[in-house]
Amino acid sequence: MEKESVIDMEYEFPKDFEWGVATASYQVEGAWQEDGKGESIWDRFSHIPGNIVDLTNGDRACDFYHRYREDVDLACSLGIQVYRLSVSWPRIFPNGRGEKNEKGIEFYRNVLNYIKEKRMKTSLTLYHWDLPQKLQDEGGWCNREIVEDFKNYAVTLFEAYGSLVDYWITLNEPYCSSFLGYWKGEHAPGYHDYSMALAAAHHLLMSHGTAVKAYRSMGLPGKIGITLNMNQPYPADIKNEEDQKAAERMRMQNNQLFGDPVMKGTYPQELFDFLKGQGVVLPDVREGDLELIHQPIDFLGLNNYFADIVKADDGAWPLRASLTTKGLPVTDAGWEVYPESMYDLLTWIQDTYQPPEIIITENGAACNDWINSDGRIEDTNRIDYLKRYLREVHRAVEDGVPVKGYYVWCFTDNFEWAWGLSRRFGIVYMDYETQKRTPKDSAFWYKQVVENNGL
Ligand code: FCB
């Protein structure tokens, strides 16, 4: 017994460490046309056959819009300390700007109040990818005027929920909104133009800055930050100089293009020079833009799932670098499991940016879960993944990286973007037909982690 508790305490986290779960509006809410909500780019995109691998969409998803109490109750019963959710912009402004939809405002107020009632903290993301389609019709993130629209939207939320939110997250993964949406075409709005992606990235970052600035001027309680998805890059062949350079380019594109302006007020010039040489049109960065982006933040949110194993690849325009998994084990999302990369990444972030605090706002694994005949979901692979990643987070904390919280992606299985309902990331199983929620073994395991404040 004694020995066991010694082992239990091996990975104890700091006393004020916070354990959470993460979700996002389009992925869980459903009710896509209810109570005055406008169309989002994800409604439009997912309704076009061919965009989502299993031909599903988020019209219903987990029906969180009607069942949020059930999910919040369940999270509470598992001892969760922070509940992360996002706001659907077209629920608040069906046209992106102009007339407000009071029913939409009321919905999130009810949800936030309910989370608070259950004694959990709230983490609210302003933008987790579901842009009002009306704004997309005007160019979306490629249109510089969107910065003003975002400010107006953000201030509306600050005014409405100022006393109910503990952690504000301006943007979730602007890399994905810009690069997957405008360059890879895998995400809404589905373009394939690298220069558009860069322009979108710049306006996303400006939107972040303008929201933080407005927030500061309002003197609200709570904290504000941004969530970036970063991956630690490794050359596919460690001895190959071209692979090493390619890995550095990948780092600049995926991590520094977003991290540098937010944390240092600069863009990675070396990357811009390289891209220019490839014929890319660089973003229109005007005087004052970088100052606007570079606002002091209270925490840096980090989403991380895998590492970038990079090889030099002349065919991959414009970066001349591509990704490989190099034989590492992968989850059912095809993402390689490389826990040590979490440690390397956290220490790199600390050395490069010294953020006041880091919150891991997403980490988790997709597994092909099923319900056993006895009703149990034995997701041992997910538990194994989470355990191994958490050990690396712990190692970084021990080495002085100020990680203050960790949120599992995701609370319930949900609509996983271009992968539809086919990828399950939840610690709670969703039967989409009946809408029944069943905690998986990982949920009970996570409950223990929270209770013990460690592994
Ligand atoms: C992240 C997204 C999140 C979810 C996970 C699996 O990139 O932020 O919405 O899809 O991946």
Short mmCIF file of all heavy atoms in Angstrom, two decimals, residues 205 226-233 248-269 271 290 293-302 344-358 400-402:
data_model
loop_
_atom_site.label_atom_id
_atom_site.label_comp_id
_atom_site.label_asym_id
_atom_site.label_seq_id
_atom_site.Cartn_x
_atom_site.Cartn_y
_atom_site.Cartn_z
N LEU A 205 -4.12 37.40 -36.50
CA LEU A 205 -3.25 37.88 -35.41
C LEU A 205 -3.61 39.30 -34.99
O LEU A 205 -3.62 39.62 -33.80
CB LEU A 205 -1.79 37.79 -35.86
CG LEU A 205 -1.25 36.35 -35.95
CD1 LEU A 205 0.03 36.28 -36.79
CD2 LEU A 205 -1.00 35.79 -34.55
N ILE A 226 -4.13 33.45 -25.90
CA ILE A 226 -4.43 32.91 -27.23
C ILE A 226 -3.99 31.45 -27.23
O ILE A 226 -3.07 31.09 -26.50
CB ILE A 226 -3.67 33.72 -28.32
CG1 ILE A 226 -4.05 33.25 -29.74
CG2 ILE A 226 -2.15 33.62 -28.13
CD1 ILE A 226 -3.46 34.13 -30.85
N THR A 227 -4.66 30.63 -28.01
CA THR A 227 -4.22 29.23 -28.12
C THR A 227 -3.56 29.00 -29.47
O THR A 227 -4.18 29.20 -30.53
CB THR A 227 -5.42 28.27 -27.93
OG1 THR A 227 -5.70 28.17 -26.52
CG2 THR A 227 -5.09 26.88 -28.43
N LEU A 228 -2.29 28.61 -29.42
CA LEU A 228 -1.57 28.27 -30.64
C LEU A 228 -1.32 26.77 -30.68
O LEU A 228 -1.08 26.16 -29.64
CB LEU A 228 -0.22 29.01 -30.67
CG LEU A 228 -0.28 30.54 -30.59
CD1 LEU A 228 1.13 31.13 -30.59
CD2 LEU A 228 -1.11 31.13 -31.74
N ASN A 229 -1.41 26.20 -31.86
CA ASN A 229 -0.99 24.80 -31.99
C ASN A 229 0.46 24.81 -32.46
O ASN A 229 0.77 25.41 -33.47
CB ASN A 229 -1.88 24.02 -32.95
CG ASN A 229 -1.97 24.62 -34.33
OD1 ASN A 229 -2.22 25.82 -34.46
ND2 ASN A 229 -1.77 23.81 -35.36
N MET A 230 1.30 24.23 -31.66
CA MET A 230 2.71 24.17 -32.04
C MET A 230 3.15 22.71 -31.97
O MET A 230 2.63 21.94 -31.16
CB MET A 230 3.55 25.00 -31.09
CG MET A 230 3.31 26.49 -31.18
SD MET A 230 4.58 27.39 -30.26
CE MET A 230 4.13 29.08 -30.63
N ASN A 231 4.09 22.38 -32.82
CA ASN A 231 4.67 21.03 -32.81
C ASN A 231 6.18 21.18 -32.80
O ASN A 231 6.72 22.09 -33.43
CB ASN A 231 4.27 20.25 -34.06
CG ASN A 231 2.77 20.19 -34.23
OD1 ASN A 231 2.03 20.05 -33.26
ND2 ASN A 231 2.31 20.31 -35.46
N GLN A 232 6.83 20.27 -32.12
CA GLN A 232 8.29 20.29 -32.13
C GLN A 232 8.77 19.63 -33.42
O GLN A 232 8.37 18.51 -33.72
CB GLN A 232 8.82 19.54 -30.90
CG GLN A 232 10.31 19.52 -30.76
CD GLN A 232 10.89 20.90 -30.45
OE1 GLN A 232 10.17 21.84 -30.12
NE2 GLN A 232 12.20 21.02 -30.57
N PRO A 233 9.59 20.32 -34.23
CA PRO A 233 10.06 19.70 -35.48
C PRO A 233 11.35 18.90 -35.27
O PRO A 233 12.21 19.29 -34.48
CB PRO A 233 10.33 20.91 -36.37
CG PRO A 233 10.67 22.01 -35.43
CD PRO A 233 10.04 21.71 -34.10
N GLU A 248 13.71 23.43 -39.71
CA GLU A 248 13.69 24.81 -39.21
C GLU A 248 12.65 25.65 -39.96
O GLU A 248 11.98 26.50 -39.38
CB GLU A 248 15.08 25.45 -39.32
CG GLU A 248 16.04 25.02 -38.23
CD GLU A 248 15.43 25.11 -36.81
OE1 GLU A 248 14.89 26.18 -36.45
OE2 GLU A 248 15.47 24.10 -36.08
N ARG A 249 12.52 25.41 -41.26
CA ARG A 249 11.49 26.15 -42.02
C ARG A 249 10.09 25.79 -41.50
O ARG A 249 9.22 26.65 -41.37
CB ARG A 249 11.59 25.83 -43.52
CG ARG A 249 12.81 26.41 -44.20
CD ARG A 249 12.62 26.46 -45.71
NE ARG A 249 12.62 25.15 -46.35
CZ ARG A 249 13.71 24.44 -46.66
NH1 ARG A 249 14.91 24.90 -46.37
NH2 ARG A 249 13.62 23.27 -47.27
N MET A 250 9.91 24.52 -41.21
CA MET A 250 8.61 24.07 -40.70
C MET A 250 8.34 24.74 -39.35
O MET A 250 7.23 25.17 -39.07
CB MET A 250 8.64 22.55 -40.55
CG MET A 250 7.31 21.89 -40.36
SD MET A 250 6.19 22.06 -41.78
CE MET A 250 6.66 20.73 -42.84
N ARG A 251 9.38 24.84 -38.53
CA ARG A 251 9.22 25.49 -37.22
C ARG A 251 8.80 26.97 -37.40
O ARG A 251 7.92 27.46 -36.73
CB ARG A 251 10.53 25.43 -36.44
CG ARG A 251 10.39 25.95 -35.00
CD ARG A 251 11.69 26.44 -34.40
NE ARG A 251 12.77 25.49 -34.36
CZ ARG A 251 12.93 24.56 -33.41
NH1 ARG A 251 12.06 24.47 -32.44
NH2 ARG A 251 13.96 23.74 -33.44
N MET A 252 9.46 27.62 -38.36
CA MET A 252 9.14 29.04 -38.57
C MET A 252 7.70 29.20 -39.08
O MET A 252 6.98 30.09 -38.66
CB MET A 252 10.13 29.67 -39.56
CG MET A 252 11.50 29.91 -38.94
SD MET A 252 12.57 30.86 -40.01
CE MET A 252 13.14 29.61 -41.16
N GLN A 253 7.31 28.32 -39.99
CA GLN A 253 5.96 28.44 -40.56
C GLN A 253 4.87 28.07 -39.54
O GLN A 253 3.88 28.78 -39.40
CB GLN A 253 5.81 27.55 -41.79
CG GLN A 253 4.40 27.61 -42.38
CD GLN A 253 4.12 26.49 -43.35
OE1 GLN A 253 4.22 26.66 -44.55
NE2 GLN A 253 3.77 25.31 -42.84
N ASN A 254 5.05 26.97 -38.85
CA ASN A 254 3.98 26.48 -37.98
C ASN A 254 3.97 27.13 -36.60
O ASN A 254 2.91 27.33 -36.02
CB ASN A 254 4.07 24.96 -37.80
CG ASN A 254 3.82 24.23 -39.09
OD1 ASN A 254 3.65 24.84 -40.15
ND2 ASN A 254 3.81 22.90 -39.04
N ASN A 255 5.16 27.39 -36.07
CA ASN A 255 5.23 27.89 -34.69
C ASN A 255 5.53 29.38 -34.62
O ASN A 255 4.85 30.14 -33.94
CB ASN A 255 6.31 27.15 -33.89
CG ASN A 255 6.07 25.65 -33.80
OD1 ASN A 255 5.03 25.15 -34.23
ND2 ASN A 255 7.02 24.92 -33.27
N GLN A 256 6.58 29.80 -35.32
CA GLN A 256 7.05 31.17 -35.12
C GLN A 256 6.25 32.23 -35.87
O GLN A 256 6.18 33.37 -35.43
CB GLN A 256 8.52 31.26 -35.53
CG GLN A 256 9.41 30.50 -34.56
CD GLN A 256 10.85 30.54 -34.99
OE1 GLN A 256 11.36 29.56 -35.53
NE2 GLN A 256 11.50 31.67 -34.78
N LEU A 257 5.64 31.83 -36.97
CA LEU A 257 4.81 32.79 -37.70
C LEU A 257 3.70 33.33 -36.80
O LEU A 257 3.22 34.43 -36.96
CB LEU A 257 4.21 32.08 -38.93
CG LEU A 257 3.33 32.91 -39.85
CD1 LEU A 257 4.11 34.08 -40.43
CD2 LEU A 257 2.79 32.04 -40.98
N PHE A 258 3.31 32.53 -35.82
CA PHE A 258 2.26 32.93 -34.88
C PHE A 258 2.84 33.33 -33.52
O PHE A 258 2.44 34.33 -32.93
CB PHE A 258 1.23 31.79 -34.75
CG PHE A 258 0.60 31.48 -36.09
CD1 PHE A 258 1.17 30.55 -36.96
CD2 PHE A 258 -0.52 32.17 -36.49
CE1 PHE A 258 0.62 30.32 -38.22
CE2 PHE A 258 -1.08 31.94 -37.76
CZ PHE A 258 -0.51 31.01 -38.61
N GLY A 259 3.79 32.54 -33.05
CA GLY A 259 4.38 32.82 -31.73
C GLY A 259 5.19 34.10 -31.71
O GLY A 259 5.08 34.89 -30.77
N ASP A 260 5.99 34.35 -32.72
CA ASP A 260 6.87 35.53 -32.71
C ASP A 260 6.10 36.84 -32.66
O ASP A 260 6.39 37.70 -31.81
CB ASP A 260 7.81 35.54 -33.93
CG ASP A 260 8.94 34.52 -33.83
OD1 ASP A 260 8.90 33.68 -32.91
OD2 ASP A 260 9.86 34.55 -34.68
N PRO A 261 5.11 37.06 -33.54
CA PRO A 261 4.42 38.35 -33.47
C PRO A 261 3.66 38.54 -32.15
O PRO A 261 3.66 39.64 -31.60
CB PRO A 261 3.46 38.32 -34.67
CG PRO A 261 3.42 36.92 -35.14
CD PRO A 261 4.69 36.27 -34.71
N VAL A 262 3.04 37.46 -31.66
CA VAL A 262 2.29 37.59 -30.41
C VAL A 262 3.22 37.86 -29.23
O VAL A 262 2.98 38.75 -28.42
CB VAL A 262 1.45 36.31 -30.13
CG1 VAL A 262 0.88 36.32 -28.72
CG2 VAL A 262 0.31 36.18 -31.15
N MET A 263 4.32 37.11 -29.18
CA MET A 263 5.17 37.19 -27.99
C MET A 263 6.32 38.19 -28.11
O MET A 263 6.84 38.65 -27.11
CB MET A 263 5.77 35.80 -27.67
CG MET A 263 4.74 34.69 -27.46
SD MET A 263 3.55 35.02 -26.14
CE MET A 263 4.60 35.12 -24.71
N LYS A 264 6.71 38.49 -29.37
CA LYS A 264 7.88 39.37 -29.53
C LYS A 264 7.62 40.58 -30.43
O LYS A 264 8.47 41.47 -30.55
CB LYS A 264 9.05 38.58 -30.13
CG LYS A 264 9.44 37.35 -29.31
CD LYS A 264 10.88 36.94 -29.47
CE LYS A 264 11.16 36.22 -30.76
NZ LYS A 264 12.39 35.40 -30.69
N GLY A 265 6.50 40.59 -31.11
CA GLY A 265 6.19 41.72 -31.98
C GLY A 265 7.00 41.73 -33.27
O GLY A 265 7.21 42.79 -33.86
N THR A 266 7.41 40.54 -33.73
CA THR A 266 8.16 40.47 -35.00
C THR A 266 7.64 39.28 -35.82
O THR A 266 7.05 38.35 -35.26
CB THR A 266 9.66 40.20 -34.76
OG1 THR A 266 9.78 39.02 -33.94
CG2 THR A 266 10.33 41.37 -34.07
N TYR A 267 7.86 39.32 -37.11
CA TYR A 267 7.62 38.13 -37.93
C TYR A 267 8.96 37.47 -38.22
O TYR A 267 9.99 38.16 -38.27
CB TYR A 267 6.94 38.52 -39.25
CG TYR A 267 5.43 38.57 -39.17
CD1 TYR A 267 4.73 39.71 -39.53
CD2 TYR A 267 4.70 37.45 -38.75
CE1 TYR A 267 3.34 39.76 -39.46
CE2 TYR A 267 3.31 37.50 -38.69
CZ TYR A 267 2.64 38.64 -39.04
OH TYR A 267 1.26 38.68 -38.97
N PRO A 268 8.99 36.15 -38.41
CA PRO A 268 10.27 35.49 -38.72
C PRO A 268 10.76 35.90 -40.13
O PRO A 268 10.30 35.36 -41.13
CB PRO A 268 9.95 34.00 -38.63
CG PRO A 268 8.46 33.88 -38.69
CD PRO A 268 7.89 35.19 -38.24
N GLN A 269 11.65 36.86 -40.15
CA GLN A 269 12.11 37.44 -41.41
C GLN A 269 12.74 36.39 -42.34
O GLN A 269 12.55 36.43 -43.55
CB GLN A 269 13.11 38.57 -41.11
CG GLN A 269 13.40 39.48 -42.29
CD GLN A 269 12.15 40.06 -42.94
OE1 GLN A 269 11.23 40.52 -42.24
NE2 GLN A 269 12.06 40.02 -44.27
N LEU A 271 11.96 33.35 -42.71
CA LEU A 271 10.90 32.62 -43.39
C LEU A 271 10.34 33.46 -44.53
O LEU A 271 10.16 32.98 -45.66
CB LEU A 271 9.77 32.26 -42.41
CG LEU A 271 8.53 31.63 -43.05
CD1 LEU A 271 8.83 30.19 -43.50
CD2 LEU A 271 7.33 31.64 -42.10
N LEU A 290 2.21 45.25 -36.09
CA LEU A 290 2.90 44.34 -35.17
C LEU A 290 2.76 44.80 -33.72
O LEU A 290 2.64 43.97 -32.81
CB LEU A 290 4.37 44.18 -35.57
CG LEU A 290 4.54 43.19 -36.74
CD1 LEU A 290 5.87 43.39 -37.46
CD2 LEU A 290 4.42 41.75 -36.25
N ILE A 293 -0.53 43.52 -32.60
CA ILE A 293 -0.54 42.08 -32.32
C ILE A 293 0.16 41.77 -30.99
O ILE A 293 -0.27 40.91 -30.22
CB ILE A 293 0.16 41.31 -33.47
CG1 ILE A 293 -0.60 41.52 -34.78
CG2 ILE A 293 0.27 39.83 -33.13
CD1 ILE A 293 0.13 41.01 -36.02
N HIS A 294 1.22 42.52 -30.73
CA HIS A 294 2.08 42.24 -29.58
C HIS A 294 1.53 42.88 -28.29
O HIS A 294 2.10 43.82 -27.76
CB HIS A 294 3.49 42.79 -29.90
CG HIS A 294 4.49 42.56 -28.84
ND1 HIS A 294 4.64 41.38 -28.17
CD2 HIS A 294 5.44 43.38 -28.32
CE1 HIS A 294 5.62 41.49 -27.29
NE2 HIS A 294 6.11 42.70 -27.35
N GLN A 295 0.41 42.36 -27.81
CA GLN A 295 -0.16 42.83 -26.55
C GLN A 295 0.28 41.88 -25.45
O GLN A 295 0.36 40.68 -25.68
CB GLN A 295 -1.70 42.81 -26.63
CG GLN A 295 -2.29 43.65 -27.73
CD GLN A 295 -2.09 45.13 -27.50
OE1 GLN A 295 -2.17 45.60 -26.36
NE2 GLN A 295 -1.78 45.87 -28.56
N PRO A 296 0.51 42.39 -24.26
CA PRO A 296 0.84 41.46 -23.17
C PRO A 296 -0.33 40.50 -22.91
O PRO A 296 -1.47 40.95 -22.81
CB PRO A 296 1.07 42.38 -21.96
CG PRO A 296 0.87 43.77 -22.41
CD PRO A 296 0.48 43.79 -23.85
N ILE A 297 -0.04 39.23 -22.85
CA ILE A 297 -1.10 38.25 -22.55
C ILE A 297 -0.82 37.62 -21.19
O ILE A 297 0.31 37.63 -20.72
CB ILE A 297 -1.23 37.16 -23.64
CG1 ILE A 297 0.13 36.49 -23.93
CG2 ILE A 297 -1.83 37.72 -24.92
CD1 ILE A 297 0.03 35.32 -24.89
N ASP A 298 -1.87 37.07 -20.59
CA ASP A 298 -1.71 36.46 -19.26
C ASP A 298 -1.23 35.03 -19.34
O ASP A 298 -0.62 34.51 -18.42
CB ASP A 298 -3.05 36.51 -18.50
CG ASP A 298 -3.54 37.93 -18.33
OD1 ASP A 298 -2.72 38.79 -17.92
OD2 ASP A 298 -4.72 38.21 -18.62
N PHE A 299 -1.58 34.37 -20.43
CA PHE A 299 -1.13 32.98 -20.60
C PHE A 299 -1.07 32.66 -22.09
O PHE A 299 -1.77 33.26 -22.90
CB PHE A 299 -2.09 31.99 -19.91
CG PHE A 299 -3.47 31.99 -20.48
CD1 PHE A 299 -3.82 31.11 -21.52
CD2 PHE A 299 -4.45 32.86 -20.01
CE1 PHE A 299 -5.10 31.12 -22.06
CE2 PHE A 299 -5.74 32.89 -20.55
CZ PHE A 299 -6.06 32.00 -21.58
N LEU A 300 -0.21 31.73 -22.40
CA LEU A 300 -0.16 31.20 -23.76
C LEU A 300 -0.84 29.84 -23.73
O LEU A 300 -0.42 28.95 -22.97
CB LEU A 300 1.30 31.07 -24.23
CG LEU A 300 1.49 30.51 -25.63
CD1 LEU A 300 0.93 31.45 -26.70
CD2 LEU A 300 2.97 30.27 -25.92
N GLY A 301 -1.89 29.68 -24.51
CA GLY A 301 -2.54 28.38 -24.61
C GLY A 301 -1.79 27.55 -25.66
O GLY A 301 -1.46 28.05 -26.73
N LEU A 302 -1.54 26.30 -25.32
CA LEU A 302 -0.83 25.43 -26.26
C LEU A 302 -1.69 24.20 -26.56
O LEU A 302 -2.14 23.52 -25.64
CB LEU A 302 0.51 24.99 -25.65
CG LEU A 302 1.25 23.91 -26.44
CD1 LEU A 302 1.79 24.47 -27.76
CD2 LEU A 302 2.41 23.33 -25.63
N ASP A 344 10.21 18.67 -25.23
CA ASP A 344 11.09 19.49 -26.06
C ASP A 344 10.40 20.78 -26.49
O ASP A 344 11.00 21.85 -26.52
CB ASP A 344 11.52 18.71 -27.32
CG ASP A 344 12.46 17.56 -26.96
OD1 ASP A 344 12.98 17.54 -25.83
OD2 ASP A 344 12.66 16.67 -27.82
N LEU A 345 9.12 20.66 -26.81
CA LEU A 345 8.36 21.82 -27.25
C LEU A 345 8.18 22.83 -26.12
O LEU A 345 8.40 24.03 -26.28
CB LEU A 345 6.99 21.37 -27.78
CG LEU A 345 6.04 22.46 -28.25
CD1 LEU A 345 6.62 23.20 -29.45
CD2 LEU A 345 4.68 21.87 -28.62
N LEU A 346 7.78 22.31 -24.96
CA LEU A 346 7.55 23.22 -23.82
C LEU A 346 8.83 23.96 -23.44
O LEU A 346 8.80 25.16 -23.16
CB LEU A 346 7.00 22.43 -22.62
CG LEU A 346 5.53 22.02 -22.72
CD1 LEU A 346 5.17 21.01 -21.63
CD2 LEU A 346 4.61 23.23 -22.63
N THR A 347 9.95 23.26 -23.46
CA THR A 347 11.20 23.94 -23.08
C THR A 347 11.62 24.92 -24.19
O THR A 347 12.15 25.98 -23.90
CB THR A 347 12.33 22.92 -22.77
OG1 THR A 347 12.37 21.95 -23.80
CG2 THR A 347 12.09 22.23 -21.45
N TRP A 348 11.33 24.56 -25.44
CA TRP A 348 11.63 25.50 -26.54
C TRP A 348 10.79 26.77 -26.38
O TRP A 348 11.28 27.89 -26.51
CB TRP A 348 11.35 24.85 -27.91
CG TRP A 348 11.58 25.83 -29.03
CD1 TRP A 348 12.77 26.18 -29.60
CD2 TRP A 348 10.57 26.61 -29.70
NE1 TRP A 348 12.57 27.13 -30.57
CE2 TRP A 348 11.24 27.42 -30.66
CE3 TRP A 348 9.18 26.72 -29.59
CZ2 TRP A 348 10.56 28.32 -31.50
CZ3 TRP A 348 8.50 27.61 -30.42
CH2 TRP A 348 9.20 28.39 -31.36
N ILE A 349 9.51 26.61 -26.07
CA ILE A 349 8.63 27.77 -25.88
C ILE A 349 9.15 28.65 -24.75
O ILE A 349 9.25 29.87 -24.86
CB ILE A 349 7.17 27.32 -25.58
CG1 ILE A 349 6.55 26.68 -26.82
CG2 ILE A 349 6.32 28.50 -25.12
CD1 ILE A 349 5.17 26.07 -26.61
N GLN A 350 9.52 28.00 -23.68
CA GLN A 350 10.02 28.73 -22.52
C GLN A 350 11.31 29.50 -22.87
O GLN A 350 11.44 30.69 -22.57
CB GLN A 350 10.25 27.75 -21.36
CG GLN A 350 10.81 28.36 -20.10
CD GLN A 350 9.88 29.41 -19.50
OE1 GLN A 350 8.73 29.56 -19.93
NE2 GLN A 350 10.38 30.16 -18.54
N ASP A 351 12.23 28.83 -23.52
CA ASP A 351 13.50 29.49 -23.89
C ASP A 351 13.26 30.63 -24.87
O ASP A 351 13.93 31.65 -24.83
CB ASP A 351 14.46 28.48 -24.55
CG ASP A 351 14.93 27.44 -23.56
OD1 ASP A 351 14.74 27.66 -22.34
OD2 ASP A 351 15.46 26.40 -24.00
N THR A 352 12.32 30.45 -25.79
CA THR A 352 12.13 31.42 -26.86
C THR A 352 11.25 32.59 -26.44
O THR A 352 11.50 33.72 -26.85
CB THR A 352 11.48 30.72 -28.09
OG1 THR A 352 12.18 29.48 -28.31
CG2 THR A 352 11.59 31.56 -29.34
N TYR A 353 10.21 32.32 -25.67
CA TYR A 353 9.21 33.37 -25.42
C TYR A 353 9.02 33.75 -23.95
O TYR A 353 8.41 34.78 -23.68
CB TYR A 353 7.85 32.92 -25.98
CG TYR A 353 7.85 32.64 -27.46
CD1 TYR A 353 7.37 31.42 -27.97
CD2 TYR A 353 8.30 33.59 -28.37
CE1 TYR A 353 7.35 31.17 -29.33
CE2 TYR A 353 8.28 33.35 -29.74
CZ TYR A 353 7.80 32.13 -30.21
OH TYR A 353 7.78 31.88 -31.55
N GLN A 354 9.43 32.91 -23.03
CA GLN A 354 9.16 33.15 -21.59
C GLN A 354 7.74 33.67 -21.33
O GLN A 354 7.55 34.75 -20.77
CB GLN A 354 10.16 34.17 -21.00
CG GLN A 354 11.59 33.75 -20.99
CD GLN A 354 12.32 34.20 -22.26
OE1 GLN A 354 12.14 35.32 -22.72
NE2 GLN A 354 13.13 33.33 -22.81
N PRO A 355 6.72 32.93 -21.74
CA PRO A 355 5.35 33.39 -21.45
C PRO A 355 5.11 33.38 -19.94
O PRO A 355 5.70 32.57 -19.23
CB PRO A 355 4.47 32.35 -22.15
CG PRO A 355 5.33 31.14 -22.30
CD PRO A 355 6.74 31.60 -22.36
N PRO A 356 4.26 34.31 -19.46
CA PRO A 356 4.01 34.34 -18.01
C PRO A 356 3.47 33.01 -17.49
O PRO A 356 3.83 32.55 -16.41
CB PRO A 356 2.98 35.46 -17.84
CG PRO A 356 2.46 35.78 -19.20
CD PRO A 356 3.49 35.34 -20.18
N GLU A 357 2.58 32.40 -18.29
CA GLU A 357 2.01 31.10 -17.92
C GLU A 357 1.73 30.35 -19.21
O GLU A 357 1.46 30.97 -20.24
CB GLU A 357 0.67 31.26 -17.19
CG GLU A 357 0.77 31.86 -15.83
CD GLU A 357 -0.56 31.89 -15.08
OE1 GLU A 357 -1.59 31.45 -15.64
OE2 GLU A 357 -0.56 32.37 -13.94
N ILE A 358 1.75 29.04 -19.12
CA ILE A 358 1.32 28.21 -20.25
C ILE A 358 0.16 27.35 -19.77
O ILE A 358 0.21 26.80 -18.67
CB ILE A 358 2.46 27.30 -20.76
CG1 ILE A 358 3.65 28.13 -21.24
CG2 ILE A 358 1.97 26.36 -21.88
CD1 ILE A 358 4.88 27.32 -21.61
N GLY A 400 11.02 23.89 -14.53
CA GLY A 400 10.76 25.32 -14.42
C GLY A 400 9.88 25.94 -15.49
O GLY A 400 9.72 27.16 -15.53
N VAL A 401 9.29 25.12 -16.36
CA VAL A 401 8.38 25.70 -17.36
C VAL A 401 7.03 25.96 -16.66
O VAL A 401 6.48 25.05 -16.02
CB VAL A 401 8.19 24.74 -18.57
CG1 VAL A 401 7.29 25.40 -19.61
CG2 VAL A 401 9.54 24.37 -19.16
N PRO A 402 6.51 27.19 -16.77
CA PRO A 402 5.32 27.54 -15.96
C PRO A 402 4.00 27.03 -16.53
O PRO A 402 3.11 27.81 -16.86
CB PRO A 402 5.36 29.08 -15.96
CG PRO A 402 6.00 29.43 -17.26
CD PRO A 402 7.00 28.34 -17.56
#
